[in-house]
Amino acid sequence: MYIMHYPIIPRPNKLIERKGFFILNEETCVKTSQECTKFVSYLKELVETPTGFTIDINSRDKVENTIEFLLNKNLALEKEGYHLNITEDKIVIKARESVGLFYGMQTLRQLLPPEIESNSPIEDIEWKIPCVSIEDYPRFKWRGHMLDVCRHFFGVDVVKKTLNLMALQKLNVFHWHLTEDQGWRIEIKKYPKLTDIGSKRADTQLKHSRSRKFRGKPHGGFYTQEEIREIVEYAKKRFITVVPEIEIPGHSQAAIAAYPELTCFGDNFEVASTFGVKKIIYCPGKDEVFKFWKDVLTEVMNLFPSEVIHIGGDEVPKDRWQECPDCQKLIKEKNLKNEEDLQVYVTNTMASFLAENGRRLMGWNEILDEGLEPNAICHYWAHSEKEVLKHIKMGRDMVNSKNKFTYLNYGYKGMPLEKVYSFDPVLEGLEGEELKHVLGLETPLWTEWIPDQKTLEFQAFPRIMALAEISWTSKENRDYTSFFQRLQAFEKRLDYLKVNYANEEERNPSLIARIRKLIRGK
Ligand SMILES: [Zn+2]
């Protein structure tokens, strides 16, 4: 009965099956206190269009056929947890905080027929909700998804759809990768050339980073500060924190194309049209460069309330720093060992600047080194797991985006759904108190070879749902067969949401599946 009746993703941590159904109809009304009224508008937004009903609030002293939202600070529940109790007479969602009510509502949403996701009225359907008792809470507090809008630009609508689909899966961190060699995507008032020049490139490489094939047309785009505020607000309504990423000191060729004085020899470059790691990076030997970073981050902090600010820090070839008199002078002055140490100096300087403003630095694991500010969060993606482990054991927080399991841009052949589902963000060798430094996981979606929304969704779905379940559901409640079956039931919902997901054969391209395809002659 579980699978048929309760195709919930991520799987709730405690679920007791009950007999019978609650029927949502014209008479159903919502009961709630003043502090929960925003949930009523969420519910109205969700159900009124497809059902054609008007949901009344507290209209009568009704006991039966009601949906009730209850906030209770004294509930013995985790911060994001909720209780959802559905009987034939009424539905009650209880939580300690608003975010819990929101997640309870997402679960209720998934128990309604998939037609509830339709954006036009559906007729001849009974809006049956199976009775159940759920007590649920997340395993990790950081349940993230990263979108690279630099290699290919995606507009406000795509970002909003991403946020909607994240909320459905109880994901709560949207990591927005905003600056790159191939494009600067965020308006900075103090440096208008970043978008005037840095947001456009002449062409785009196709196939792979050594290829000589190009699309043959320019590509560009950026978000105005007004659009960014709108997105941040939209995310907040869905209990999603937007963490911006401004790459320092590498992946910076687009900024340098706009302001050549930011690189070591002040030489001119174009916004990159090819992919792969670039050697044209910022020069930390110049005071103006630190001023530039601080100015940019000041505007960024004004736009993003997130405590955590991501500064990238990955893939920083130091060839130019070795030759640059300004960089060498700074290394001497600060008594640094070498160019690697210079990157630590850069990261620590930015970490203190962010800390002075009440924020916290996060960077990819290349920032790790002796002497790195202990409060900086490590975003693990590749290379030495041993070093990451060492830092966690010393007390450093970590978010896991191990590329071989979480990089949604990788092909399904090397990273099928089943492999993704086997991932665990807790590194082997951690125990006791150390475990709390694993904040959670994130699913990066890099877009070098993803030119459109259709491909973007195909890469993400359904693997992002497997990762959402890993980040929410406790390890002992995880089960691939159950996930697989719930996903089959979920597909109709994705169809209504117009998500271009990979189908059953595409998501686990096994040998047998490929043979079957051959036989069918497709
Ligand atoms: Zn330099």
Side-chain angles (χ1 to χ4, degrees), residues 207-257:
K207 292 187 185 265
H208 57 82
S209 59
R210 288 173 309 282
S211 147
R212 295 195 181 175
K213 283 213 163 67
F214 285 83
R215 190 167 292 132
K217 58 176 185 187
H219 181 82
F222 68 93
Y223 309 96
T224 62
Q225 295 204 349
E226 203 174 320
E227 286 171 326
I228 286 177
R229 283 201 182 89
E230 185 189 329
I231 295 278
V232 169
E233 198 48 41
Y234 192 88
K236 192 180 161 204
K237 270 181 80 178
R238 287 157 182 78
F239 296 88
I240 295 170
T241 303
V242 186
V243 174
E245 180 181 353
I246 306 296
E247 283 265 17
I248 295 172
H251 289 278
S252 43
Q253 194 172 318
I256 289 159

CSV table of all heavy atoms in Angstrom, one decimal, residues 207-257:
chain,number,residue,atom,x,y,z
A,207,LYS,N,30.9,20.8,-28.0
A,207,LYS,CA,31.4,19.4,-27.8
A,207,LYS,C,32.3,19.1,-26.6
A,207,LYS,O,32.0,18.5,-25.7
A,207,LYS,CB,32.0,18.8,-29.1
A,207,LYS,CG,31.0,18.6,-30.2
A,207,LYS,CD,31.6,17.9,-31.4
A,207,LYS,CE,30.6,17.9,-32.5
A,207,LYS,NZ,29.8,16.8,-32.7
A,208,HIS,N,33.6,19.7,-26.6
A,208,HIS,CA,34.5,19.4,-25.5
A,208,HIS,C,35.6,20.5,-25.5
A,208,HIS,O,35.7,21.3,-26.5
A,208,HIS,CB,35.1,18.1,-25.5
A,208,HIS,CG,35.9,17.8,-26.8
A,208,HIS,ND1,37.2,18.2,-27.0
A,208,HIS,CD2,35.5,17.1,-28.0
A,208,HIS,CE1,37.5,17.8,-28.2
A,208,HIS,NE2,36.5,17.2,-28.8
A,209,SER,N,36.3,20.6,-24.4
A,209,SER,CA,37.2,21.8,-24.2
A,209,SER,C,38.4,21.8,-25.1
A,209,SER,O,39.2,22.8,-25.1
A,209,SER,CB,37.6,21.9,-22.7
A,209,SER,OG,38.3,20.8,-22.4
A,210,ARG,N,38.7,20.8,-25.9
A,210,ARG,CA,39.8,20.9,-26.9
A,210,ARG,C,39.2,21.0,-28.3
A,210,ARG,O,39.9,21.0,-29.3
A,210,ARG,CB,40.7,19.7,-26.8
A,210,ARG,CG,41.5,19.7,-25.5
A,210,ARG,CD,42.3,18.3,-25.4
A,210,ARG,NE,41.4,17.2,-25.5
A,210,ARG,CZ,40.6,16.8,-24.5
A,210,ARG,NH1,40.6,17.4,-23.4
A,210,ARG,NH2,39.9,15.7,-24.7
A,211,SER,N,37.9,21.0,-28.4
A,211,SER,CA,37.2,21.1,-29.7
A,211,SER,C,37.4,22.4,-30.4
A,211,SER,O,37.6,23.4,-29.8
A,211,SER,CB,35.7,20.8,-29.5
A,211,SER,OG,34.9,21.5,-30.5
A,212,ARG,N,37.4,22.4,-31.8
A,212,ARG,CA,37.5,23.6,-32.5
A,212,ARG,C,36.2,24.0,-33.2
A,212,ARG,O,36.1,24.8,-34.1
A,212,ARG,CB,38.6,23.5,-33.6
A,212,ARG,CG,40.0,23.3,-33.0
A,212,ARG,CD,41.1,23.5,-33.9
A,212,ARG,NE,42.3,23.3,-33.3
A,212,ARG,CZ,43.5,23.3,-33.9
A,212,ARG,NH1,43.5,23.6,-35.2
A,212,ARG,NH2,44.6,23.2,-33.2
A,213,LYS,N,35.2,23.3,-32.7
A,213,LYS,CA,33.8,23.6,-33.3
A,213,LYS,C,33.2,24.7,-32.4
A,213,LYS,O,33.2,24.6,-31.2
A,213,LYS,CB,32.9,22.4,-33.2
A,213,LYS,CG,33.2,21.4,-34.3
A,213,LYS,CD,32.0,20.6,-34.7
A,213,LYS,CE,32.1,19.9,-36.1
A,213,LYS,NZ,33.0,18.8,-36.1
A,214,PHE,N,32.5,25.7,-33.0
A,214,PHE,CA,31.9,26.8,-32.3
A,214,PHE,C,30.5,26.9,-32.8
A,214,PHE,O,30.1,26.6,-34.0
A,214,PHE,CB,32.7,28.1,-32.5
A,214,PHE,CG,34.0,28.1,-31.7
A,214,PHE,CD1,35.1,27.4,-32.2
A,214,PHE,CD2,34.0,28.7,-30.4
A,214,PHE,CE1,36.3,27.4,-31.4
A,214,PHE,CE2,35.1,28.6,-29.7
A,214,PHE,CZ,36.3,28.0,-30.2
A,215,ARG,N,29.6,27.5,-32.0
A,215,ARG,CA,28.2,27.7,-32.3
A,215,ARG,C,28.1,28.8,-33.4
A,215,ARG,O,27.1,28.8,-34.2
A,215,ARG,CB,27.4,28.1,-31.1
A,215,ARG,CG,25.9,28.1,-31.4
A,215,ARG,CD,25.1,28.1,-30.1
A,215,ARG,NE,25.2,26.9,-29.4
A,215,ARG,CZ,25.5,26.8,-28.1
A,215,ARG,NH1,25.6,28.0,-27.4
A,215,ARG,NH2,25.6,25.7,-27.5
A,216,GLY,N,29.0,29.7,-33.5
A,216,GLY,CA,28.9,30.7,-34.5
A,216,GLY,C,28.1,31.9,-34.2
A,216,GLY,O,27.6,32.7,-35.1
A,217,LYS,N,27.7,32.1,-33.0
A,217,LYS,CA,27.0,33.4,-32.6
A,217,LYS,C,27.3,33.8,-31.2
A,217,LYS,O,27.7,33.0,-30.3
A,217,LYS,CB,25.5,33.2,-32.8
A,217,LYS,CG,24.9,32.1,-32.1
A,217,LYS,CD,23.4,32.1,-32.3
A,217,LYS,CE,22.7,31.0,-31.4
A,217,LYS,NZ,21.3,30.8,-31.7
A,218,PRO,N,27.2,35.1,-30.9
A,218,PRO,CA,27.5,35.6,-29.5
A,218,PRO,C,26.5,35.0,-28.5
A,218,PRO,O,25.4,34.6,-28.9
A,218,PRO,CB,27.4,37.1,-29.7
A,218,PRO,CG,26.8,37.4,-31.0
A,218,PRO,CD,26.7,36.2,-31.8
A,219,HIS,N,26.9,35.1,-27.2
A,219,HIS,CA,26.0,34.7,-26.1
A,219,HIS,C,26.2,35.6,-25.0
A,219,HIS,O,27.3,36.1,-24.7
A,219,HIS,CB,26.4,33.3,-25.7
A,219,HIS,CG,25.5,32.7,-24.6
A,219,HIS,ND1,24.3,32.1,-24.8
A,219,HIS,CD2,25.7,32.7,-23.2
A,219,HIS,CE1,23.7,31.8,-23.7
A,219,HIS,NE2,24.6,32.1,-22.7
A,220,GLY,N,25.1,35.9,-24.3
A,220,GLY,CA,25.2,36.9,-23.2
A,220,GLY,C,23.9,36.9,-22.3
A,220,GLY,O,23.0,36.2,-22.6
A,221,GLY,N,24.0,37.8,-21.3
A,221,GLY,CA,22.9,37.9,-20.4
A,221,GLY,C,23.3,38.2,-19.0
A,221,GLY,O,24.4,37.8,-18.6
A,222,PHE,N,22.5,38.9,-18.2
A,222,PHE,CA,22.8,39.1,-16.8
A,222,PHE,C,21.6,39.5,-16.1
A,222,PHE,O,20.5,39.8,-16.7
A,222,PHE,CB,23.9,40.2,-16.6
A,222,PHE,CG,23.4,41.6,-17.0
A,222,PHE,CD1,22.9,42.5,-16.0
A,222,PHE,CD2,23.5,42.1,-18.3
A,222,PHE,CE1,22.5,43.8,-16.3
A,222,PHE,CE2,23.1,43.4,-18.6
A,222,PHE,CZ,22.6,44.2,-17.7
A,223,TYR,N,21.6,39.5,-14.7
A,223,TYR,CA,20.5,39.8,-13.9
A,223,TYR,C,20.7,41.2,-13.4
A,223,TYR,O,21.8,41.6,-12.8
A,223,TYR,CB,20.3,38.9,-12.7
A,223,TYR,CG,20.3,37.4,-13.1
A,223,TYR,CD1,21.5,36.7,-13.1
A,223,TYR,CD2,19.1,36.8,-13.6
A,223,TYR,CE1,21.5,35.3,-13.5
A,223,TYR,CE2,19.1,35.5,-14.0
A,223,TYR,CZ,20.3,34.8,-13.9
A,223,TYR,OH,20.3,33.4,-14.3
A,224,THR,N,19.7,42.1,-13.5
A,224,THR,CA,19.8,43.4,-12.8
A,224,THR,C,19.6,43.2,-11.3
A,224,THR,O,19.1,42.1,-10.9
A,224,THR,CB,18.6,44.3,-13.3
A,224,THR,OG1,17.4,43.7,-12.9
A,224,THR,CG2,18.6,44.5,-14.8
A,225,GLN,N,20.0,44.2,-10.6
A,225,GLN,CA,19.9,44.1,-9.1
A,225,GLN,C,18.4,43.9,-8.7
A,225,GLN,O,18.1,43.2,-7.8
A,225,GLN,CB,20.5,45.3,-8.4
A,225,GLN,CG,22.0,45.3,-8.6
A,225,GLN,CD,22.8,46.0,-7.6
A,225,GLN,OE1,22.2,46.7,-6.7
A,225,GLN,NE2,24.1,45.9,-7.6
A,226,GLU,N,17.5,44.6,-9.5
A,226,GLU,CA,16.1,44.4,-9.2
A,226,GLU,C,15.6,43.0,-9.4
A,226,GLU,O,14.9,42.5,-8.6
A,226,GLU,CB,15.3,45.4,-10.2
A,226,GLU,CG,14.0,45.8,-9.7
A,226,GLU,CD,13.4,46.8,-10.7
A,226,GLU,OE1,14.1,47.7,-11.1
A,226,GLU,OE2,12.2,46.7,-11.0
A,227,GLU,N,16.1,42.4,-10.5
A,227,GLU,CA,15.7,41.0,-10.7
A,227,GLU,C,16.3,40.1,-9.6
A,227,GLU,O,15.6,39.1,-9.2
A,227,GLU,CB,16.3,40.5,-12.1
A,227,GLU,CG,15.5,41.1,-13.2
A,227,GLU,CD,16.1,40.8,-14.6
A,227,GLU,OE1,17.4,40.8,-14.7
A,227,GLU,OE2,15.4,40.7,-15.6
A,228,ILE,N,17.5,40.4,-9.2
A,228,ILE,CA,18.1,39.6,-8.1
A,228,ILE,C,17.2,39.7,-6.8
A,228,ILE,O,16.9,38.7,-6.2
A,228,ILE,CB,19.5,39.9,-7.9
A,228,ILE,CG1,20.3,39.4,-9.1
A,228,ILE,CG2,20.1,39.4,-6.6
A,228,ILE,CD1,21.8,39.7,-9.1
A,229,ARG,N,16.8,40.9,-6.5
A,229,ARG,CA,16.0,41.1,-5.3
A,229,ARG,C,14.7,40.2,-5.4
A,229,ARG,O,14.2,39.6,-4.5
A,229,ARG,CB,15.7,42.5,-5.1
A,229,ARG,CG,16.8,43.3,-4.5
A,229,ARG,CD,16.4,44.6,-3.8
A,229,ARG,NE,17.6,45.3,-3.3
A,229,ARG,CZ,18.3,46.1,-4.1
A,229,ARG,NH1,17.9,46.5,-5.3
A,229,ARG,NH2,19.4,46.6,-3.6
A,230,GLU,N,14.1,40.3,-6.6
A,230,GLU,CA,12.9,39.5,-6.9
A,230,GLU,C,13.1,38.0,-6.7
A,230,GLU,O,12.3,37.4,-6.0
A,230,GLU,CB,12.5,39.8,-8.3
A,230,GLU,CG,11.1,39.2,-8.7
A,230,GLU,CD,10.9,39.4,-10.3
A,230,GLU,OE1,11.4,40.4,-10.9
A,230,GLU,OE2,10.2,38.5,-10.8
A,231,ILE,N,14.2,37.5,-7.2
A,231,ILE,CA,14.5,36.1,-7.0
A,231,ILE,C,14.7,35.7,-5.6
A,231,ILE,O,14.2,34.7,-5.1
A,231,ILE,CB,15.8,35.7,-7.8
A,231,ILE,CG1,15.6,35.9,-9.3
A,231,ILE,CG2,16.3,34.3,-7.5
A,231,ILE,CD1,14.9,34.8,-10.0
A,232,VAL,N,15.5,36.6,-4.9
A,232,VAL,CA,15.8,36.3,-3.4
A,232,VAL,C,14.5,36.2,-2.6
A,232,VAL,O,14.3,35.4,-1.8
A,232,VAL,CB,16.8,37.3,-2.9
A,232,VAL,CG1,16.9,37.2,-1.4
A,232,VAL,CG2,18.1,37.2,-3.5
A,233,GLU,N,13.6,37.1,-2.9
A,233,GLU,CA,12.3,37.2,-2.3
A,233,GLU,C,11.4,36.0,-2.6
A,233,GLU,O,10.8,35.4,-1.7
A,233,GLU,CB,11.6,38.5,-2.7
A,233,GLU,CG,10.4,39.0,-1.8
A,233,GLU,CD,10.7,39.0,-0.3
A,233,GLU,OE1,11.9,39.4,0.0
A,233,GLU,OE2,9.9,38.5,0.5
A,234,TYR,N,11.4,35.6,-3.9
A,234,TYR,CA,10.7,34.4,-4.4
A,234,TYR,C,11.2,33.2,-3.6
A,234,TYR,O,10.4,32.3,-3.2
A,234,TYR,CB,10.9,34.3,-5.9
A,234,TYR,CG,10.0,33.4,-6.6
A,234,TYR,CD1,8.8,33.8,-7.1
A,234,TYR,CD2,10.4,32.0,-6.8
A,234,TYR,CE1,8.0,32.9,-7.8
A,234,TYR,CE2,9.6,31.2,-7.5
A,234,TYR,CZ,8.4,31.6,-8.0
A,234,TYR,OH,7.6,30.7,-8.7
A,235,ALA,N,12.5,33.1,-3.5
A,235,ALA,CA,13.1,31.9,-2.8
A,235,ALA,C,12.7,31.9,-1.3
A,235,ALA,O,12.4,30.9,-0.8
A,235,ALA,CB,14.6,32.0,-3.0
A,236,LYS,N,12.8,33.1,-0.7
A,236,LYS,CA,12.5,33.2,0.7
A,236,LYS,C,11.1,32.7,1.0
A,236,LYS,O,10.9,32.1,2.0
A,236,LYS,CB,12.6,34.7,1.1
A,236,LYS,CG,12.6,34.9,2.6
A,236,LYS,CD,12.8,36.4,2.9
A,236,LYS,CE,12.3,36.7,4.4
A,236,LYS,NZ,11.9,38.1,4.5
A,237,LYS,N,10.1,33.0,0.1
A,237,LYS,CA,8.8,32.6,0.3
A,237,LYS,C,8.7,31.1,0.3
A,237,LYS,O,7.8,30.5,0.8
A,237,LYS,CB,7.9,33.1,-0.8
A,237,LYS,CG,7.2,34.4,-0.5
A,237,LYS,CD,6.3,34.9,-1.7
A,237,LYS,CE,5.0,34.2,-1.7
A,237,LYS,NZ,4.1,34.7,-2.8
A,238,ARG,N,9.7,30.4,-0.3
A,238,ARG,CA,9.7,29.0,-0.3
A,238,ARG,C,10.8,28.4,0.6
A,238,ARG,O,11.2,27.3,0.5
A,238,ARG,CB,10.1,28.5,-1.8
A,238,ARG,CG,8.9,28.8,-2.7
A,238,ARG,CD,9.2,28.9,-4.2
A,238,ARG,NE,8.0,29.2,-4.9
A,238,ARG,CZ,7.4,30.3,-5.0
A,238,ARG,NH1,7.9,31.4,-4.3
A,238,ARG,NH2,6.2,30.5,-5.6
A,239,PHE,N,11.2,29.2,1.6
A,239,PHE,CA,12.1,28.8,2.6
A,239,PHE,C,13.5,28.3,2.0
A,239,PHE,O,14.1,27.4,2.5
A,239,PHE,CB,11.5,27.8,3.6
A,239,PHE,CG,10.4,28.3,4.3
A,239,PHE,CD1,9.1,28.3,3.8
A,239,PHE,CD2,10.6,29.0,5.6
A,239,PHE,CE1,8.0,28.9,4.5
A,239,PHE,CE2,9.5,29.5,6.2
A,239,PHE,CZ,8.2,29.5,5.7
A,240,ILE,N,13.9,29.0,0.9
A,240,ILE,CA,15.1,28.7,0.3
A,240,ILE,C,16.1,29.9,0.5
A,240,ILE,O,15.7,31.0,0.2
A,240,ILE,CB,14.9,28.4,-1.2
A,240,ILE,CG1,14.1,27.1,-1.4
A,240,ILE,CG2,16.3,28.3,-1.9
A,240,ILE,CD1,13.6,26.8,-2.8
A,241,THR,N,17.3,29.6,0.9
A,241,THR,CA,18.3,30.6,1.0
A,241,THR,C,19.1,30.7,-0.3
A,241,THR,O,19.5,29.6,-0.8
A,241,THR,CB,19.3,30.3,2.2
A,241,THR,OG1,18.5,30.2,3.4
A,241,THR,CG2,20.4,31.4,2.4
A,242,VAL,N,19.3,31.9,-0.8
A,242,VAL,CA,20.1,32.0,-2.0
A,242,VAL,C,21.6,32.3,-1.6
A,242,VAL,O,21.8,33.4,-1.0
A,242,VAL,CB,19.6,33.0,-3.0
A,242,VAL,CG1,20.4,33.0,-4.3
A,242,VAL,CG2,18.1,32.8,-3.3
A,243,VAL,N,22.5,31.4,-1.9
A,243,VAL,CA,23.9,31.7,-1.7
A,243,VAL,C,24.6,32.1,-3.0
A,243,VAL,O,24.7,31.3,-3.9
A,243,VAL,CB,24.6,30.4,-1.1
A,243,VAL,CG1,26.1,30.6,-0.9
A,243,VAL,CG2,23.9,30.0,0.3
A,244,PRO,N,25.0,33.3,-3.1
A,244,PRO,CA,25.7,33.8,-4.3
A,244,PRO,C,27.1,33.3,-4.3
A,244,PRO,O,27.8,33.2,-3.3
A,244,PRO,CB,25.6,35.3,-4.2
A,244,PRO,CG,25.7,35.6,-2.7
A,244,PRO,CD,25.0,34.4,-2.1
A,245,GLU,N,27.6,33.0,-5.5
A,245,GLU,CA,29.1,32.7,-5.7
A,245,GLU,C,29.7,33.7,-6.6
A,245,GLU,O,29.3,33.9,-7.7
A,245,GLU,CB,29.3,31.3,-6.2
A,245,GLU,CG,30.8,31.0,-6.4
A,245,GLU,CD,31.1,29.6,-6.9
A,245,GLU,OE1,30.1,28.8,-7.1
A,245,GLU,OE2,32.2,29.3,-7.2
A,246,ILE,N,30.7,34.4,-6.0
A,246,ILE,CA,31.5,35.3,-6.8
A,246,ILE,C,33.0,34.7,-6.7
A,246,ILE,O,33.6,34.7,-5.7
A,246,ILE,CB,31.5,36.7,-6.1
A,246,ILE,CG1,30.1,37.2,-5.8
A,246,ILE,CG2,32.4,37.7,-6.8
A,246,ILE,CD1,29.3,37.5,-7.1
A,247,GLU,N,33.5,34.3,-7.9
A,247,GLU,CA,34.7,33.6,-7.9
A,247,GLU,C,35.9,34.5,-7.6
A,247,GLU,O,36.1,35.5,-8.3
A,247,GLU,CB,34.9,32.9,-9.3
A,247,GLU,CG,34.1,31.7,-9.5
A,247,GLU,CD,34.9,30.4,-9.2
A,247,GLU,OE1,35.9,30.5,-8.5
A,247,GLU,OE2,34.4,29.3,-9.6
A,248,ILE,N,36.7,34.1,-6.6
A,248,ILE,CA,38.0,34.8,-6.2
A,248,ILE,C,39.0,33.8,-5.9
A,248,ILE,O,38.7,32.9,-5.0
A,248,ILE,CB,37.7,35.7,-5.0
A,248,ILE,CG1,36.7,36.9,-5.3
A,248,ILE,CG2,39.0,36.3,-4.5
A,248,ILE,CD1,36.3,37.7,-4.1
A,249,PRO,N,40.2,33.8,-6.4
A,249,PRO,CA,40.7,34.7,-7.4
A,249,PRO,C,40.7,34.2,-8.9
A,249,PRO,O,41.2,34.9,-9.8
A,249,PRO,CB,42.2,34.9,-6.9
A,249,PRO,CG,42.5,33.5,-6.4
A,249,PRO,CD,41.2,32.9,-5.9
A,250,GLY,N,40.3,32.9,-9.1
A,250,GLY,CA,40.3,32.4,-10.4
A,250,GLY,C,39.0,32.5,-11.2
A,250,GLY,O,38.1,33.3,-10.7
A,251,HIS,N,38.8,31.8,-12.3
A,251,HIS,CA,37.6,31.9,-13.1
A,251,HIS,C,37.1,33.3,-13.2
A,251,HIS,O,36.0,33.6,-13.0
A,251,HIS,CB,36.5,31.0,-12.4
A,251,HIS,CG,36.8,29.6,-12.5
A,251,HIS,ND1,36.5,28.8,-13.7
A,251,HIS,CD2,37.4,28.7,-11.7
A,251,HIS,CE1,36.8,27.6,-13.5
A,251,HIS,NE2,37.4,27.4,-12.3
A,252,SER,N,38.1,34.2,-13.6
A,252,SER,CA,37.8,35.6,-13.6
A,252,SER,C,38.0,36.4,-14.9
A,252,SER,O,38.1,37.6,-14.9
A,252,SER,CB,38.6,36.3,-12.4
A,252,SER,OG,39.9,35.8,-12.4
A,253,GLN,N,38.2,35.6,-16.0
A,253,GLN,CA,38.5,36.3,-17.2
A,253,GLN,C,37.5,37.3,-17.7
A,253,GLN,O,37.9,38.3,-18.3
A,253,GLN,CB,38.8,35.2,-18.3
A,253,GLN,CG,39.5,35.8,-19.5
A,253,GLN,CD,40.0,34.8,-20.5
A,253,GLN,OE1,40.5,33.7,-20.1
A,253,GLN,NE2,39.8,35.0,-21.8
A,254,ALA,N,36.2,37.1,-17.4
A,254,ALA,CA,35.2,38.0,-17.9
A,254,ALA,C,35.3,39.4,-17.2
A,254,ALA,O,35.2,40.4,-17.8
A,254,ALA,CB,33.8,37.4,-17.7
A,255,ALA,N,35.6,39.3,-15.9
A,255,ALA,CA,35.8,40.6,-15.1
A,255,ALA,C,37.1,41.3,-15.7
A,255,ALA,O,37.1,42.5,-15.8
A,255,ALA,CB,36.0,40.3,-13.6
A,256,ILE,N,38.1,40.5,-16.0
A,256,ILE,CA,39.4,41.1,-16.5
A,256,ILE,C,39.2,41.7,-17.9
A,256,ILE,O,39.8,42.7,-18.2
A,256,ILE,CB,40.5,40.0,-16.4
A,256,ILE,CG1,40.8,39.8,-15.0
A,256,ILE,CG2,41.7,40.5,-17.2
A,256,ILE,CD1,41.5,38.5,-14.7
A,257,ALA,N,38.3,41.0,-18.7
A,257,ALA,CA,38.0,41.6,-20.0
A,257,ALA,C,37.4,43.0,-19.8
A,257,ALA,O,37.6,43.9,-20.6
A,257,ALA,CB,37.0,40.7,-20.8
